[in-house]
Amino acid sequence: MSRKIIIIGAGINGLVAANYLQRNGYQVSIIESKAKVGGACTSETVTLSGKDYRYASGASVLGLMQRFIFEETGLSKKLKTFVPESPKLVFFPNDSEPTIIYRNPKDLDRELRDKWGEQGNIEAFREDESRVIDFLQTGYRDAVTPNLEDARSILGEALTNLWITGDAKNLLDHYFTSDKAKIYMAMTVAESGPVSIREKSSALTIPIMDSGSIFSGYYGFVYEGIWQVTEELEKINRALGVNFYTSSKVLNVDTKTNRVNFISPTGEEKKIFDQLIFATDPLTASQLVNNSEHIEKVSDKKLLGSSGKLNLLFKQPIQWKHNIDHPDSDASFRFIFSVETLEEFEQATMSVCDHGVDYVPGFMQIYCEGAASKKMNKNLNHDRIAVFFKNLSLDKRGEDLSIVSEEIQDKLFENILNPEDCIWTNLVTPKNLQETFYFPQGNIDHIALTHKQMYFDRTFSFDPENNFYGFFNYEDIFYCGAGSYPCGSIAGTPGYMCSQQLIRLDQ
Ligand SMILES: Cc1cc2nc3c(=O)[nH]c(=O)nc-3n(C[C@H](O)[C@H](O)[C@H](O)COP(=O)(O)OP(=O)(O)OC[C@H]3O[C@@H](n4cnc5c(N)ncnc54)[C@H](O)[C@@H]3O)c2cc1C
């Protein structure tokens, strides 16, 4: 008889784990507290003048997923995607022209020399990063427990120290000379939370964030919006036979009798499992097993997030002041920095740890979702962008920070010729993310990507060597949410790796 698996949480990781396990002969049930699946890969709808507009309330762009997951789950047959081939544009304060991030390292080298006075070795950086990424991707594919011995034997001592255990400051100083190049590369280190570039293991975030293979390390868009990834995966999983319990909040897990108690629209229910996977944030997981030591252990981790997102709708396509001569240029990724030196970047990143600070400008990443969808369907008229930005504290909700929303809009509109076409904006802060998505302290990776919660440490298992995705010391309970290795994002890598480990343990 097939083993009964219960997965709690229908975010990308729960859905990917369910897909692999159901296809491997398990009988999977997913219990999700919300009415619809997706977790932080989801949409909201706003009605303006009688017309409905959907927008991505959590994630926006796809890029960290592994191509094999995209194909093996069946997603590749269902989704239309688009990756802008035009170079990214970077704006620093006081620069009259944007810097163009060419894909070709030689062109990029010339551009960074001209614009930023960069004298370092970009080609060496990209070559070494590729070696680290190959190593990481092989580990993902083989679902191998991350460990330093493998890294040392495959990458060598020097690269392991520089890229895996080292800090981002040292890594960037090794390859680059200009602060602007270092800041641009350091962006991902601070993407989820206030992580210092001097923190041990902070270097590894850089190759991790480039280690998606779906678009060969680049980021792109899904037609209509990224929520299609989880909505399609739900349909695929249902067709495979996965049972879904939505609007069903798990109240607790009885670890002695292997029973889940939850409240569904029809009342209190219980369900027995052979194995259980938490695909929630780790704090919720430890609360559901009701173990004070586990709760304390998770609460002691660095959980703070500092990301905000401003969604904007325009009634006409956005006209950018600066474009490049490329057919995809309207959909180019744009990065606007408010800092010019690495020290300013560091101070802005860490400032949200101080009490009384609501917002300190650092960087804004602009995702041109409407222009990307228009590339896939010419008939779209309205436009939509998402501005993902730093550095917000956990203190206030977006609706209480209209001043921040206006500041972001002012900065953005400096680059837009038709700001009057903007018809709607919505700001979310770490506090909103905590309340909407249950991220413990608003971190988009559930827990920060930082020292002692990175790579081989990004586990909750008592026996990581043999059971990396195990949850504390429970034999039949596993954890595969964004808080586990490698990280969050719309990738599903932890969900995949956990499913493979569970299949292996059962053999
Ligand atoms: C504003 C924002 C922007 C982002 N931008 C990007 C981006 O552009 N690209 C990208 O790749 N990533 C992005 N991310 C990160 C990405 O969205 C997350 O890392 C990822 O969605 C986490 O997936 P998950 O499956 O691990 O967890 P989650 O998505 O958090 O899913 C956990 C699920 O568990 C459910 N749950 C919790 N408690 C219970 C309970 N008691 N009973 C039943 N169910 C429960 C929740 O409802 C939820 O559905 C962004 C995140 C945010 C918030």
Side-chain angles (χ1 to χ4, degrees):
M1 221 169 72
S2 63
R3 287 171 79 71
K4 289 192 182 63
I5 305 253
I6 293 183
I7 298 179
I8 304 181
I12 183 69
N13 282 309
L15 290 167
V16 167
N19 180 283
Y20 275 92
L21 289 166
Q22 186 75 25
R23 285 190 288 113
N24 272 276
Y26 293 82
Q27 177 52 61
V28 180
S29 300
I30 299 194
I31 308 179
E32 166 57 51
S33 62
K34 300 229 165 113
K36 59 178 182 175
V37 306
C41 181
T42 189
S43 69
E44 296 280 337
T45 302
V46 57
T47 307
L48 303 171
S49 309
K51 194 172 163 199
D52 288 346
Y53 299 86
R54 260 179 121 180
Y55 65 97
S57 49
S60 282
V61 287
L62 185 65
L64 210 53
M65 188 173 272
Q66 297 307 301
R67 177 144 284 275
F68 70 83
I69 292 181
F70 193 55
E71 286 168 358
E72 289 171 359
T73 52
L75 278 170
S76 60
K77 293 201 178 76
K78 303 279 177 188
L79 297 175
K80 224 190 302 182
T81 58
F82 167 76
V83 183
E85 285 190 9
S86 51
K88 301 166 188 163
L89 299 178
V90 178
F91 301 81
F92 274 103
N94 307 316
D95 283 0
S96 54
E97 288 291 315
T99 302
I100 301 169
I101 306 297
Y102 292 102
R103 286 189 175 202
N104 178 322
K106 285 203 166 49
D107 292 338
L108 180 62
D109 189 72
R110 182 183 29 77
E111 174 78 354
L112 299 197
R113 264 171 219 281
D114 289 352
K115 297 266 177 61
W116 297 346
E118 176 56 47
Q119 303 285 315
N121 195 340
I122 297 162
E123 274 192 78
F125 175 82
R126 286 294 179 215
E127 268 169 33
D128 288 348
E129 190 191 35
S130 291
R131 290 185 58 198
V132 178
I133 288 173
D134 281 350
F135 167 70
L136 296 175
Q137 287 178 343
T138 307
Y140 302 154
R141 172 74 273 197
D142 298 342
V144 173
T145 297
N147 70 84
L148 268 186
E149 292 67 42
D150 281 357
R152 287 201 182 102
S153 81
I154 292 163
L155 296 171
E157 191 76 20
L159 280 192
T160 303
N161 293 346
L162 199 55
W163 287 84
I164 295 189
T165 55
D167 66 70
K169 168 93 172 54
N170 189 46
L171 178 82
L172 297 168
D173 287 347
H174 185 85
Y175 295 96
F176 301 105
T177 57
S178 70
D179 266 22
K180 286 180 178 170
K182 291 178 195 175
I183 294 171
Y184 176 71
M185 297 296 175
M187 227 180 339
T188 52
V189 174
E191 210 162 86
S192 67
V195 176
S196 165
I197 47 170
R198 293 187 172 81
E199 182 98 36
K200 266 185 90 180
S201 304
S202 55
L204 183 57
T205 308
I206 295 171
I208 281 191
M209 290 299 155
D210 288 341
S211 68
S213 58
I214 179 169
F215 304 134
S216 310
Y218 290 97
Y219 280 75
F221 299 87
V222 178
Y223 178 53
E224 288 186 0
I226 198 166
W227 57 83
Q228 298 288 345
V229 172
T230 46
E231 289 187 2
E232 283 300 332
L233 205 41
E234 177 189 9
K235 287 185 206 154
I236 294 169
N237 285 352
R238 279 188 192 275
L240 288 171
V242 173
N243 298 316
F244 278 84
Y245 296 82
T246 47
S247 302
S248 297
K249 191 178 170 69
V250 174
L251 302 173
N252 55 61
V253 174
D254 187 333
T255 55
K256 295 206 173 63
T257 57
N258 278 14
R259 198 177 67 187
V260 174
N261 298 310
F262 60 103
I263 183 121
S264 78
T266 52
E268 280 211 25
E269 294 196 42
K270 30 180 139 344
K271 232 178 144 31
I272 299 290
F273 59 85
D274 293 315
Q275 282 140 326
L276 175 111
I277 302 177
F278 282 114
T280 62
D281 69 86
L283 191 59
T284 297
S286 62
Q287 285 160 347
L288 290 178
V289 293
N290 197 20
N291 180 307
S292 55
E293 268 177 45
H294 303 340
I295 295 172
E296 199 179 315
K297 210 155 180 209
V298 177
S299 306
D300 280 349
K301 296 210 175 254
K302 289 185 180 160
L303 304 171
L304 190 61
S306 54
S307 310
K309 187 177 176 187
L310 184 74
N311 274 300
L312 301 96
L313 287 169
F314 285 68
K315 63 181 181 219
Q316 298 288 338
I318 294 169
Q319 296 163 34
W320 295 99
K321 274 188 196 160
H322 299 278
N323 255 339
I324 25 173
D325 187 17
H326 192 285
D328 297 346
S329 66
D330 279 347
S332 291
F333 287 91
R334 288 166 161 80
F335 302 89
I336 303 178
F337 288 92
S338 301
V339 290
E340 283 183 293
T341 67
L342 202 56
E343 275 321 303
E344 283 170 3
F345 175 86
E346 173 83 345
Q347 275 171 18
T349 302
M350 302 311 290
S351 60
V352 295
C353 302
D354 298 338
H355 288 294
V357 176
D358 287 335
Y359 168 62
V360 177
F363 63 82
M364 296 159 52
Q365 303 183 348
I366 297 154
Y367 308 145
C368 301
E369 295 180 56
S373 277
K374 204 170 168 58
K375 284 272 160 201
M376 296 177 262
N377 174 2
K378 301 270 176 260
N379 296 326
L380 292 179
N381 273 330
H382 77 276
D383 207 343
R384 186 177 89 227
I385 53 171
V387 180
F388 178 85
F389 70 97
K390 309 304 289 187
N391 300 284
L392 286 161
S393 78
L394 185 61
D395 294 342
K396 295 194 180 136
R397 298 185 183 90
E399 50 272 36
D400 301 323
L401 285 176
S402 55
I403 202 161
V404 173
S405 172
E406 278 157 26
E407 195 173 332
I408 300 290
Q409 286 174 60
D410 286 348
K411 221 160 180 59
L412 177 70
F413 291 166
E414 282 171 17
N415 293 285
I416 287 177
L417 291 168
N418 58 333
E420 67 283 0
D421 284 334
C422 179
I423 46 173
W424 173 88
T425 64
N426 181 55
L427 174 68
V428 292
T429 66
K431 186 151 193 75
N432 293 106
L433 305 186
Q434 186 184 41
E435 292 172 352
T436 315
F437 299 123
Y438 317 129
F439 294 174
Q441 290 183 19
N443 192 300
I444 63 171
D445 289 292
H446 289 168
I447 66 171
L449 282 162
T450 189
H451 185 39
K452 297 205 172 140
Q453 23 198 78
M454 196 64 169
Y455 196 51
F456 58 86
D457 278 331
R458 207 166 167 84
T459 174
F460 299 89
S461 171
F462 270 21
D463 179 18
E465 214 173 292
N466 300 304
N467 182 12
F468 189 85
Y469 289 92
F471 194 57
F472 291 99
N473 54 342
Y474 305 107
E475 213 177 298
D476 301 321
I477 304 186
F478 303 84
Y479 173 78
C480 77
S484 53
Y485 178 75
C487 59
S489 289
I490 310 312
T493 317
Y496 163 76
M497 290 183 75
C498 175
S499 72
Q500 300 309 297
Q501 187 200 287
L502 201 143
I503 292 165
R504 273 202 299 257
L505 284 174
D506 275 349
Q507 277 164 359

